[in-house]
Amino acid sequence: MFTGIVEERGEIVARDDLAEAARFRIRGPLVTSDASFGDSIAVNGVCLTVVELEDGAFTVDVMAETLRRSSLDKLRPGANVNLERAMAAGGRFGGHIVQGHVDGVGTVVSISPSENWTVVRVAVPADLAKYVVEKGSITIDGISLTVSAIGHDREYGDWLEVSLIPTTLSETTLGVTATGARVNLEVDVIAKYVERLTGADRAEGQQ
């Protein structure tokens, strides 16, 4: 499990495309400082398993299904990525419950900077919009954020907005993200459990 508090901004140093998979080598001195073979590290919000460690970098294998369902398929050497180690038992819970299981991919449709923060609007797939609420939690590229606004329009369909402070902009990839960029989205898992439970209750009541 993760919390969506990015520990460092890493860099893709190599990519090998394999049959129905890809292997990435990622530089991340902090997250590899105590990492071991088999550990989990979230890369732009995707939980991946360490298969090699060497000189402050780690290697992960990404299956075709994950490439199709996330923005990792667009990553090339030189790209920056958000990195977070799995939460240690007894560690600080600074964000919210993040599984590292991407639910879908959104698109950045506008970036509106101001003196003290920047508002980023992201178009959300229609099947995920029902899980997004104002002032609720959302994970964007592995970053735990609070939804500041939601809406729907003809041009982009369902969308959400997050307001980013300077620290988030400087310490994560959202600070260099441009409009049109694809970002990984993970909705609050509690919302999905509530939907499942209430749906089951309705089904039982109809029998």
Side-chain angles (χ1 to χ4, degrees), residues 71-154:
S71 64
L72 297 188
D73 64 323
K74 301 298 182 183
L75 293 179
R76 297 293 183 272
N80 288 328
V81 289
N82 298 316
L83 302 176
E84 181 191 356
R85 289 169 289 190
M87 182 182 178
R92 291 184 181 274
F93 205 138
H96 71 284
I97 297 173
V98 177
Q99 297 180 296
H101 303 159
V102 171
D103 292 303
V105 177
T107 303
V108 176
V109 296
S110 69
I111 300 173
S112 305
S114 63
E115 183 177 357
N116 297 309
W117 64 83
T118 295
V119 176
V120 177
R121 179 175 290 188
V122 179
V124 180
D127 60 331
L128 296 184
K130 61 183 177 180
Y131 302 114
V132 181
V133 297
E134 191 171 335
K135 307 305 179 187
S137 296
I138 188 76
T139 308
I140 300 179
D141 272 354
I143 310 164
S144 174
L145 297 166
T146 300
V147 177
S148 56
I150 58 175
H152 180 94
D153 58 41
R154 291 183 179 179

Side-chain angles (χ1 to χ4, degrees), residues 39-52:
D39 282 354
S40 296
I41 296 177
V43 179
N44 277 0
V46 182
C47 178
L48 298 174
T49 301
V50 175
V51 298
E52 290 180 5

